[in-house]
Amino acid sequence: KKQRTAKPTFPYAEHAPSGRSSCMECDGKIEKGSLRVAVAREVDTGSFTTTAPGYLHPACALEFTGDDKLYDQIRQHSRDLSDDDLQVLAEAL
């Protein structure tokens, strides 16, 4: 049986696995392999509402969320980010 990994807590950052996601702030594409910030967003499926990730460029994330503690939360919730990744995030935010 395949092991399920726990879903990360929002907000978190990761490397985009594809180039299909768009930034919720600027509508620009998020390039494959680049860092992106995931935040919780409500999705209405018609029969119920659920929470799903919405993605942002690191440079757009603070503007979108207005949360001055965003970097600390991302650092706490993100897995598999190198010190270099965290440095890039800190500078972008």
Side-chain angles (χ1 to χ4, degrees):
K1 194 172 182 179
K2 190 173 180 182
Q3 183 102 13
R4 288 182 53 145
T5 57
K7 290 183 182 176
T9 303
F10 295 112
Y12 63 89
E14 65 183 5
H15 290 275
S18 73
R20 293 190 314 244
S21 59
S22 295
C23 178
M24 295 190 314
E25 176 69 16
C26 73
D27 290 327
K29 285 290 183 192
I30 299 173
E31 288 184 37
K32 180 178 180 175
S34 66
L35 284 172
R36 67 181 183 183
V37 174
V39 295
R41 67 183 177 107
E42 296 288 310
V43 177
D44 188 350
T45 66
S47 55
F48 64 94
T49 302
T50 187
T51 301
Y55 300 108
L56 300 158
H57 292 114
C60 297
L62 195 56
E63 179 77 26
F64 184 84
T65 64
D67 185 351
D68 60 358
K69 293 182 174 53
L70 184 63
Y71 175 74
D72 293 332
Q73 294 172 13
I74 290 170
R75 202 173 89 200
Q76 183 179 354
H77 300 156
S78 299
R79 303 182 192 127
D80 305 326
L81 292 186
S82 69
D83 290 341
D84 288 345
D85 291 337
L86 292 171
Q87 183 68 34
V88 168
L89 268 176
E91 290 170 8
L93 292 168

Coordinates of all heavy atoms in Angstrom, one line a residue:
K1 N 0.9 -1.2 0.0 CA 0.0 0.0 0.0 C 0.9 1.2 0.0 O 1.9 1.3 0.7 CB -0.9 0.0 1.2 CG -2.0 0.9 1.2 CD -3.0 0.7 2.3 CE -4.1 1.7 2.2 NZ -5.1 1.5 3.3
K2 N 0.5 2.2 -0.8 CA 1.3 3.4 -0.9 C 1.2 4.3 0.3 O 0.1 4.5 0.8 CB 0.9 4.2 -2.2 CG 1.8 5.4 -2.5 CD 1.4 6.0 -3.8 CE 2.3 7.2 -4.1 NZ 2.0 7.8 -5.3
Q3 N 2.3 4.8 0.8 CA 2.3 5.6 2.0 C 1.8 7.0 1.7 O 2.3 7.6 0.8 CB 3.8 5.7 2.6 CG 3.9 6.4 3.9 CD 4.0 5.5 5.1 OE1 4.2 4.3 4.9 NE2 3.8 6.0 6.2
R4 N 0.9 7.5 2.4 CA 0.4 8.8 2.2 C 1.2 9.8 3.1 O 1.4 9.5 4.3 CB -1.1 9.0 2.5 CG -1.9 8.3 1.5 CD -3.4 8.4 1.8 NE -3.7 9.8 2.0 CZ -4.8 10.4 1.6 NH1 -5.7 9.7 1.0 NH2 -5.1 11.7 1.8
T5 N 1.6 10.9 2.5 CA 2.3 11.9 3.3 C 1.3 12.9 3.8 O 0.4 13.2 3.1 CB 3.5 12.5 2.5 OG1 2.9 13.1 1.4 CG2 4.5 11.6 2.2
A6 N 1.5 13.4 5.0 CA 0.6 14.5 5.5 C 0.7 15.7 4.7 O 1.8 16.1 4.2 CB 1.0 14.8 6.9
K7 N -0.4 16.3 4.5 CA -0.5 17.6 3.7 C 0.3 18.7 4.5 O 0.1 18.8 5.7 CB -1.9 18.0 3.4 CG -2.6 17.1 2.5 CD -4.0 17.7 2.2 CE -4.7 16.7 1.2 NZ -6.1 17.2 1.0
P8 N 1.1 19.5 3.8 CA 1.7 20.6 4.6 C 0.7 21.6 5.1 O -0.4 21.8 4.5 CB 2.7 21.1 3.6 CG 2.3 20.7 2.3 CD 1.4 19.5 2.5
T9 N 1.1 22.3 6.1 CA 0.2 23.4 6.6 C 0.5 24.7 5.8 O 1.6 25.0 5.4 CB 0.6 23.6 8.1 OG1 0.5 22.4 8.8 CG2 -0.3 24.7 8.7
F10 N -0.6 25.4 5.5 CA -0.4 26.7 4.8 C 0.0 27.8 5.7 O -0.3 27.8 6.9 CB -1.8 27.1 4.2 CG -2.3 26.1 3.2 CD1 -3.4 25.4 3.4 CD2 -1.7 26.1 1.9 CE1 -3.9 24.5 2.4 CE2 -2.2 25.2 1.0 CZ -3.3 24.4 1.2
P11 N 0.8 28.8 5.3 CA 1.4 28.8 4.0 C 2.7 28.0 3.9 O 3.3 27.9 5.0 CB 1.7 30.3 3.8 CG 1.9 30.8 5.2 CD 1.0 30.0 6.1
Y12 N 3.1 27.6 2.8 CA 4.4 26.9 2.6 C 5.0 27.3 1.3 O 4.3 27.8 0.4 CB 4.2 25.4 2.8 CG 3.4 24.7 1.7 CD1 3.9 24.2 0.5 CD2 2.0 24.5 1.9 CE1 3.1 23.6 -0.4 CE2 1.2 23.9 1.0 CZ 1.8 23.4 -0.2 OH 1.0 22.8 -1.1
A13 N 6.2 26.9 1.1 CA 6.9 27.2 -0.2 C 7.4 25.8 -0.8 O 7.7 24.9 0.0 CB 8.0 28.2 -0.1
E14 N 7.5 25.8 -2.1 CA 8.0 24.6 -2.7 C 8.5 25.0 -4.1 O 8.2 26.1 -4.6 CB 6.9 23.5 -2.9 CG 5.8 24.0 -3.8 CD 4.6 23.0 -3.8 OE1 4.6 22.0 -3.2 OE2 3.7 23.2 -4.6
H15 N 9.2 24.0 -4.8 CA 9.6 24.2 -6.1 C 8.4 23.8 -7.0 O 7.9 22.7 -6.8 CB 10.8 23.4 -6.5 CG 12.0 24.0 -5.8 ND1 12.8 25.0 -6.4 CD2 12.6 23.7 -4.6 CE1 13.8 25.4 -5.6 NE2 13.7 24.6 -4.5
A16 N 8.0 24.6 -8.0 CA 6.9 24.2 -8.8 C 7.2 23.0 -9.6 O 8.2 22.9 -10.3 CB 6.6 25.4 -9.8
P17 N 6.4 21.9 -9.5 CA 6.6 20.7 -10.2 C 6.4 20.8 -11.8 O 6.8 19.9 -12.5 CB 5.7 19.7 -9.6 CG 4.6 20.5 -9.0 CD 5.2 21.8 -8.7
S18 N 5.6 21.8 -12.2 CA 5.3 22.0 -13.6 C 5.2 23.5 -13.8 O 5.4 24.3 -12.9 CB 3.9 21.3 -13.9 OG 2.9 22.1 -13.4
G19 N 5.0 23.9 -15.0 CA 4.8 25.3 -15.4 C 3.4 25.7 -15.6 O 3.1 26.6 -16.3
R20 N 2.5 24.9 -15.0 CA 1.0 25.1 -15.3 C 0.4 26.1 -14.3 O -0.7 26.6 -14.6 CB 0.3 23.8 -15.2 CG 0.7 22.9 -16.3 CD -0.2 21.7 -16.4 NE -0.5 21.0 -15.1 CZ -0.1 19.8 -14.8 NH1 0.5 19.1 -15.6 NH2 -0.4 19.3 -13.6
S21 N 1.0 26.3 -13.1 CA 0.3 27.2 -12.2 C 0.5 28.7 -12.5 O 1.5 29.0 -13.1 CB 0.7 26.9 -10.7 OG 2.1 27.0 -10.6
S22 N -0.5 29.5 -12.1 CA -0.4 30.9 -12.3 C -0.5 31.6 -10.9 O -1.1 31.1 -10.0 CB -1.6 31.4 -13.1 OG -1.5 30.9 -14.4
C23 N 0.2 32.7 -10.8 CA 0.2 33.5 -9.6 C -1.2 34.2 -9.4 O -1.8 34.8 -10.3 CB 1.2 34.6 -9.7 SG 1.3 35.7 -8.2
M24 N -1.8 34.0 -8.2 CA -3.1 34.6 -7.9 C -3.0 36.1 -7.8 O -4.0 36.8 -7.9 CB -3.7 34.1 -6.6 CG -4.0 32.6 -6.6 SD -4.9 31.9 -5.2 CE -4.0 32.6 -3.8
E25 N -1.9 36.7 -7.6 CA -1.7 38.2 -7.5 C -1.5 38.8 -8.8 O -2.2 39.7 -9.2 CB -0.5 38.5 -6.6 CG -0.2 40.0 -6.4 CD -1.3 40.8 -5.7 OE1 -2.1 40.2 -5.0 OE2 -1.2 42.0 -5.8
C26 N -0.6 38.4 -9.6 CA -0.2 39.0 -10.9 C -0.7 38.3 -12.1 O -0.6 38.8 -13.3 CB 1.3 39.3 -11.0 SG 2.3 37.8 -11.3
D27 N -1.2 37.1 -12.0 CA -1.7 36.2 -13.1 C -0.6 35.7 -14.0 O -0.9 35.0 -15.0 CB -2.8 36.9 -14.0 CG -4.1 37.1 -13.2 OD1 -4.4 36.2 -12.4 OD2 -4.8 38.1 -13.5
G28 N 0.7 36.0 -13.6 CA 1.8 35.5 -14.4 C 2.0 34.0 -14.2 O 1.7 33.5 -13.1
K29 N 2.5 33.3 -15.1 CA 2.9 31.9 -15.0 C 4.0 31.7 -14.0 O 4.9 32.5 -13.9 CB 3.3 31.2 -16.3 CG 2.1 31.0 -17.2 CD 1.3 29.9 -16.7 CE 0.1 29.5 -17.6 NZ -0.9 28.7 -17.0
I30 N 4.0 30.6 -13.2 CA 5.1 30.3 -12.3 C 5.9 29.2 -13.0 O 5.3 28.1 -13.3 CB 4.5 29.8 -10.9 CG1 3.7 30.9 -10.3 CG2 5.6 29.3 -10.0 CD1 3.0 30.6 -9.0
E31 N 7.1 29.5 -13.3 CA 7.9 28.6 -14.1 C 8.3 27.3 -13.3 O 8.4 27.3 -12.1 CB 9.3 29.2 -14.4 CG 9.1 30.3 -15.5 CD 10.5 30.9 -15.9 OE1 11.5 30.1 -15.9 OE2 10.6 32.1 -16.1
K32 N 8.3 26.2 -14.1 CA 8.7 24.9 -13.5 C 10.0 25.0 -12.8 O 11.0 25.6 -13.4 CB 8.8 23.8 -14.6 CG 9.2 22.5 -14.1 CD 9.2 21.4 -15.3 CE 9.6 20.1 -14.7 NZ 9.5 19.1 -15.7
G33 N 10.1 24.5 -11.6 CA 11.4 24.5 -10.8 C 11.6 25.7 -10.0 O 12.4 25.7 -9.1
S34 N 10.8 26.8 -10.3 CA 11.0 28.0 -9.5 C 10.3 27.9 -8.2 O 9.3 27.1 -8.0 CB 10.5 29.2 -10.3 OG 9.1 29.2 -10.5
L35 N 10.7 28.7 -7.2 CA 10.0 28.7 -5.9 C 8.6 29.3 -6.1 O 8.4 30.3 -6.8 CB 10.8 29.5 -4.9 CG 12.0 28.8 -4.3 CD1 12.8 29.8 -3.4 CD2 11.6 27.6 -3.5
R36 N 7.6 28.7 -5.4 CA 6.3 29.3 -5.3 C 5.8 29.2 -3.9 O 6.2 28.3 -3.1 CB 5.3 28.7 -6.3 CG 5.0 27.2 -6.0 CD 4.1 26.6 -7.0 NE 3.7 25.2 -6.6 CZ 3.0 24.5 -7.4 NH1 2.5 24.9 -8.5 NH2 2.6 23.2 -7.0
V37 N 4.9 30.1 -3.5 CA 4.3 30.1 -2.2 C 2.9 29.6 -2.3 O 2.2 30.1 -3.2 CB 4.3 31.5 -1.6 CG1 3.6 31.6 -0.2 CG2 5.8 32.0 -1.4
A38 N 2.5 28.7 -1.5 CA 1.2 28.1 -1.5 C 0.4 28.7 -0.3 O 0.9 28.7 0.9 CB 1.2 26.6 -1.4
V39 N -0.8 29.2 -0.5 CA -1.7 29.7 0.6 C -3.0 29.0 0.4 O -3.4 28.5 -0.6 CB -1.8 31.3 0.5 CG1 -0.5 31.9 0.8 CG2 -2.4 31.7 -0.8
A40 N -3.8 29.0 1.5 CA -5.1 28.4 1.5 C -6.1 29.3 0.7 O -6.0 30.5 0.9 CB -5.6 28.1 2.9
R41 N -6.9 28.6 -0.1 CA -8.0 29.4 -0.7 C -9.2 28.5 -0.7 O -9.1 27.3 -0.8 CB -7.6 29.8 -2.2 CG -7.4 28.6 -3.1 CD -7.0 29.1 -4.5 NE -6.8 27.9 -5.3 CZ -7.6 27.6 -6.3 NH1 -8.6 28.3 -6.6 NH2 -7.3 26.5 -7.0
E42 N -10.4 29.2 -0.7 CA -11.6 28.4 -0.7 C -12.0 28.1 -2.1 O -11.9 29.0 -3.0 CB -12.7 29.3 0.0 CG -12.5 29.6 1.4 CD -12.7 28.4 2.3 OE1 -13.8 27.8 2.2 OE2 -11.8 28.1 3.2
V43 N -12.4 26.9 -2.4 CA -12.8 26.5 -3.7 C -14.3 26.0 -3.6 O -14.5 25.0 -2.8 CB -11.9 25.4 -4.3 CG1 -12.4 24.9 -5.6 CG2 -10.5 25.8 -4.3
D44 N -15.2 26.6 -4.3 CA -16.6 26.2 -4.3 C -16.8 25.2 -5.5 O -16.6 25.5 -6.6 CB -17.5 27.4 -4.5 CG -19.0 27.0 -4.4 OD1 -19.3 25.8 -4.3 OD2 -19.8 28.0 -4.3
T45 N -17.1 23.9 -5.1 CA -17.2 22.9 -6.1 C -18.7 22.8 -6.6 O -19.0 21.9 -7.5 CB -16.9 21.5 -5.5 OG1 -17.8 21.2 -4.5 CG2 -15.5 21.5 -5.0
G46 N -19.6 23.6 -6.1 CA -21.0 23.5 -6.5 C -21.8 22.9 -5.4 O -22.8 23.4 -5.0
S47 N -21.3 21.7 -4.9 CA -22.1 21.1 -3.8 C -21.5 21.3 -2.4 O -22.1 21.1 -1.4 CB -22.2 19.6 -4.1 OG -20.9 19.0 -4.3
F48 N -20.2 21.7 -2.4 CA -19.6 22.0 -1.1 C -18.4 22.9 -1.4 O -17.9 23.1 -2.5 CB -19.2 20.7 -0.4 CG -18.1 19.9 -1.1 CD1 -16.8 20.1 -0.8 CD2 -18.5 19.0 -2.0 CE1 -15.8 19.3 -1.4 CE2 -17.5 18.2 -2.7 CZ -16.2 18.4 -2.4
T49 N -17.9 23.5 -0.3 CA -16.7 24.3 -0.4 C -15.5 23.6 0.3 O -15.7 23.0 1.4 CB -17.0 25.7 0.3 OG1 -18.1 26.3 -0.3 CG2 -15.8 26.6 0.2
T50 N -14.4 23.7 -0.3 CA -13.2 23.0 0.3 C -12.0 24.0 0.2 O -12.1 25.0 -0.4 CB -12.9 21.7 -0.5 OG1 -11.9 21.0 0.1 CG2 -12.5 22.0 -1.9
T51 N -11.0 23.6 0.9 CA -9.8 24.4 0.9 C -8.7 23.7 0.1 O -8.5 22.5 0.2 CB -9.2 24.6 2.4 OG1 -10.2 25.2 3.2 CG2 -8.0 25.4 2.4
A52 N -8.1 24.5 -0.8 CA -7.1 24.0 -1.7 C -6.0 25.0 -1.8 O -6.2 26.2 -1.5 CB -7.7 23.8 -3.1
P53 N -4.8 24.6 -2.3 CA -3.7 25.6 -2.4 C -3.9 26.5 -3.5 O -4.4 26.2 -4.6 CB -2.5 24.7 -2.6 CG -3.0 23.4 -3.2 CD -4.4 23.2 -2.6
G54 N -3.6 27.8 -3.3 CA -3.5 28.8 -4.3 C -2.0 29.2 -4.4 O -1.4 29.2 -3.3
Y55 N -1.5 29.5 -5.5 CA 0.0 29.7 -5.6 C 0.3 31.2 -6.0 O -0.4 31.9 -6.7 CB 0.6 28.8 -6.7 CG 0.3 27.3 -6.3 CD1 -0.6 26.5 -7.0 CD2 1.0 26.8 -5.2 CE1 -0.8 25.2 -6.6 CE2 0.8 25.5 -4.9 CZ -0.1 24.7 -5.6 OH -0.3 23.4 -5.2
L56 N 1.5 31.6 -5.5 CA 2.0 33.0 -5.7 C 3.4 33.0 -5.9 O 4.2 32.1 -5.4 CB 1.7 33.8 -4.4 CG 0.3 33.9 -3.9 CD1 0.3 34.2 -2.4 CD2 -0.4 35.0 -4.7
H57 N 3.9 33.9 -6.7 CA 5.3 34.2 -6.8 C 5.8 34.7 -5.5 O 5.0 35.4 -4.8 CB 5.6 35.3 -7.8 CG 5.4 34.9 -9.3 ND1 4.4 35.6 -10.0 CD2 5.9 34.0 -10.1 CE1 4.4 35.1 -11.2 NE2 5.3 34.1 -11.3
P58 N 7.0 34.3 -5.0 CA 7.4 34.8 -3.7 C 7.4 36.4 -3.6 O 7.0 36.9 -2.6 CB 8.9 34.3 -3.6 CG 8.8 33.0 -4.4 CD 7.9 33.3 -5.5
A59 N 7.7 37.1 -4.7 CA 7.7 38.5 -4.7 C 6.3 39.1 -4.7 O 6.1 40.2 -4.3 CB 8.4 39.0 -6.0
C60 N 5.2 38.3 -5.0 CA 3.9 38.7 -4.9 C 3.2 38.3 -3.6 O 2.1 38.8 -3.3 CB 3.1 38.2 -6.1 SG 3.6 38.7 -7.7
A61 N 3.8 37.4 -2.9 CA 3.1 36.8 -1.7 C 2.7 37.8 -0.6 O 1.6 37.8 -0.1 CB 3.9 35.6 -1.2
L62 N 3.7 38.7 -0.3 CA 3.4 39.6 0.8 C 2.3 40.6 0.4 O 1.4 40.9 1.2 CB 4.7 40.4 1.2 CG 4.7 41.1 2.5 CD1 4.3 40.2 3.6 CD2 6.0 41.7 2.7
E63 N 2.3 41.1 -0.8 CA 1.3 42.0 -1.3 C -0.1 41.3 -1.2 O -1.1 41.9 -0.8 CB 1.6 42.4 -2.7 CG 0.6 43.3 -3.4 CD 0.7 44.7 -2.9 OE1 1.8 45.2 -2.5 OE2 -0.3 45.4 -2.9
F64 N -0.1 40.0 -1.6 CA -1.4 39.3 -1.7 C -1.9 39.0 -0.3 O -3.1 39.2 0.0 CB -1.2 38.0 -2.4 CG -2.5 37.2 -2.6 CD1 -3.4 37.5 -3.6 CD2 -2.8 36.2 -1.7 CE1 -4.5 36.8 -3.8 CE2 -4.0 35.5 -1.9 CZ -4.9 35.8 -2.9
T65 N -1.1 38.6 0.6 CA -1.5 38.2 2.0 C -1.6 39.4 3.0 O -2.4 39.3 3.9 CB -0.6 37.1 2.6 OG1 0.7 37.7 2.8 CG2 -0.5 35.9 1.7
G66 N -0.7 40.4 2.8 CA -0.6 41.4 3.8 C -0.2 41.0 5.1 O -0.4 41.7 6.1
D67 N 0.5 39.8 5.2 CA 0.9 39.2 6.5 C 2.4 39.4 6.7 O 3.2 38.8 6.0 CB 0.6 37.8 6.5 CG 0.8 37.1 7.8 OD1 1.5 37.7 8.7 OD2 0.4 35.9 7.9
D68 N 2.7 40.3 7.7 CA 4.2 40.6 7.9 C 4.9 39.4 8.6 O 6.1 39.4 8.7 CB 4.4 41.9 8.7 CG 3.7 41.9 10.1 OD1 3.0 40.9 10.4 OD2 3.9 42.9 10.8
K69 N 4.2 38.4 9.0 CA 4.8 37.2 9.6 C 4.9 36.0 8.6 O 5.2 34.9 8.9 CB 4.1 36.7 10.8 CG 4.2 37.7 12.0 CD 3.4 37.2 13.2 CE 3.6 38.1 14.4 NZ 3.3 39.5 14.3
L70 N 4.6 36.3 7.3 CA 4.5 35.3 6.3 C 5.8 34.5 6.2 O 5.7 33.3 6.1 CB 4.2 36.0 4.9 CG 4.0 35.0 3.8 CD1 2.8 34.2 4.0 CD2 3.8 35.8 2.5
Y71 N 7.0 35.1 6.1 CA 8.2 34.4 6.0 C 8.4 33.4 7.1 O 8.8 32.2 6.8 CB 9.4 35.3 5.9 CG 10.7 34.6 5.8 CD1 11.1 33.9 4.7 CD2 11.5 34.5 7.0 CE1 12.3 33.1 4.7 CE2 12.7 33.7 6.9 CZ 13.1 33.1 5.8 OH 14.2 32.3 5.8
D72 N 8.2 33.8 8.3 CA 8.4 32.9 9.5 C 7.4 31.7 9.4 O 7.8 30.6 9.7 CB 8.1 33.6 10.8 CG 9.2 34.7 11.1 OD1 10.3 34.5 10.6 OD2 8.8 35.7 11.8
Q73 N 6.2 31.9 8.9 CA 5.2 30.8 8.8 C 5.7 29.9 7.6 O 5.6 28.7 7.8 CB 3.8 31.4 8.5 CG 3.3 32.2 9.6 CD 2.0 32.9 9.2 OE1 1.4 32.6 8.2 NE2 1.5 33.8 10.1
I74 N 6.1 30.5 6.5 CA 6.6 29.6 5.4 C 7.8 28.8 5.8 O 7.8 27.6 5.5 CB 6.9 30.5 4.2 CG1 5.7 31.1 3.6 CG2 7.7 29.7 3.1 CD1 5.9 32.2 2.5
R75 N 8.7 29.4 6.5 CA 9.9 28.7 6.9 C 9.5 27.5 7.9 O 10.1 26.4 7.8 CB 10.9 29.6 7.6 CG 12.3 29.1 7.6 CD 13.2 30.1 8.2 NE 13.3 29.9 9.6 CZ 13.7 30.8 10.5 NH1 14.1 32.0 10.1 NH2 13.8 30.5 11.8
Q76 N 8.6 27.7 8.7 CA 8.1 26.7 9.7 C 7.4 25.5 9.0 O 7.5 24.4 9.4 CB 7.2 27.3 10.7 CG 6.7 26.4 11.8 CD 5.9 27.1 12.8 OE1 5.7 28.3 12.8 NE2 5.3 26.4 13.7
H77 N 6.6 25.9 7.9 CA 5.8 24.9 7.3 C 6.4 24.2 6.1 O 5.8 23.2 5.6 CB 4.4 25.5 6.9 CG 3.7 26.1 8.0 ND1 2.8 27.1 7.8 CD2 3.7 25.8 9.3 CE1 2.2 27.4 9.0 NE2 2.8 26.7 9.9
S78 N 7.5 24.7 5.5 CA 8.0 24.2 4.3 C 9.0 23.0 4.5 O 9.8 23.1 5.4 CB 8.7 25.3 3.5 OG 7.8 26.3 3.2
R79 N 8.9 22.0 3.7 CA 9.8 20.9 3.7 C 10.7 21.0 2.5 O 10.4 21.5 1.5 CB 9.0 19.6 3.7 CG 8.0 19.4 4.7 CD 7.3 18.1 4.6 NE 6.1 18.0 5.4 CZ 4.9 17.7 5.0 NH1 4.7 17.4 3.7 NH2 3.9 17.7 5.8
D80 N 11.9 20.3 2.7 CA 12.8 20.2 1.5 C 13.3 21.4 0.9 O 13.6 21.5 -0.3 CB 12.1 19.3 0.4 CG 11.6 18.0 1.0 OD1 12.2 17.4 1.9 OD2 10.5 17.5 0.5
L81 N 13.3 22.5 1.7 CA 13.9 23.7 1.1 C 15.4 23.9 1.7 O 15.6 23.7 2.8 CB 13.1 25.0 1.5 CG 11.8 25.1 0.9 CD1 11.1 26.5 1.3 CD2 11.8 25.0 -0.6
S82 N 16.3 24.2 0.8 CA 17.7 24.4 1.2 C 17.8 25.8 1.8 O 16.9 26.7 1.8 CB 18.6 24.3 0.0 OG 18.4 25.5 -0.9
D83 N 19.0 26.0 2.5 CA 19.3 27.3 3.0 C 19.3 28.4 1.9 O 18.8 29.5 2.1 CB 20.6 27.3 3.7 CG 20.6 26.5 5.0 OD1 19.5 26.3 5.6 OD2 21.7 26.2 5.5
D84 N 19.7 28.0 0.7 CA 19.7 29.0 -0.4 C 18.3 29.3 -0.8 O 18.0 30.5 -1.1 CB 20.4 28.4 -1.6 CG 22.0 28.3 -1.4 OD1 22.5 29.0 -0.5 OD2 22.6 27.6 -2.2
D85 N 17.4 28.3 -0.8 CA 16.0 28.6 -1.1 C 15.4 29.5 -0.1 O 14.7 30.5 -0.5 CB 15.2 27.3 -1.1 CG 15.5 26.3 -2.2 OD1 16.0 26.8 -3.2 OD2 15.3 25.1 -2.0
L86 N 15.7 29.3 1.2 CA 15.1 30.2 2.2 C 15.7 31.6 2.1 O 14.9 32.6 2.3 CB 15.5 29.6 3.6 CG 14.7 28.3 3.9 CD1 15.3 27.7 5.2 CD2 13.2 28.5 4.0
Q87 N 16.9 31.7 1.7 CA 17.5 33.0 1.5 C 16.8 33.8 0.3 O 16.5 34.9 0.4 CB 19.0 32.9 1.2 CG 19.7 34.2 1.0 CD 19.8 35.0 2.3 OE1 19.9 34.5 3.4 NE2 19.7 36.3 2.2
V88 N 16.6 33.1 -0.8 CA 15.8 33.6 -1.9 C 14.5 34.1 -1.5 O 14.0 35.2 -1.9 CB 15.8 32.6 -3.1 CG1 14.8 33.0 -4.2 CG2 17.2 32.4 -3.7
L89 N 13.8 33.3 -0.7 CA 12.4 33.6 -0.2 C 12.5 34.9 0.6 O 11.7 35.8 0.5 CB 11.9 32.5 0.6 CG 11.0 31.4 -0.1 CD1 10.7 30.3 0.9 CD2 9.8 32.0 -0.8
A90 N 13.4 34.9 1.5 CA 13.5 36.0 2.5 C 13.8 37.3 1.7 O 13.1 38.4 2.0 CB 14.7 35.8 3.5
E91 N 14.6 37.3 0.7 CA 14.9 38.5 -0.2 C 13.7 38.9 -1.0 O 13.4 40.1 -1.1 CB 16.1 38.2 -1.0 CG 17.4 38.2 -0.3 CD 18.6 37.7 -1.1 OE1 18.4 37.6 -2.3 OE2 19.6 37.5 -0.5
A92 N 12.9 37.9 -1.5 CA 11.8 38.2 -2.3 C 10.6 38.8 -1.5 O 9.9 39.6 -2.0 CB 11.3 36.9 -3.1
L93 N 10.5 38.3 -0.3 CA 9.4 38.7 0.6 C 9.7 40.1 1.1 O 8.9 40.9 1.5 CB 9.1 37.7 1.7 CG 8.5 36.4 1.2 CD1 8.5 35.4 2.3 CD2 7.1 36.6 0.7

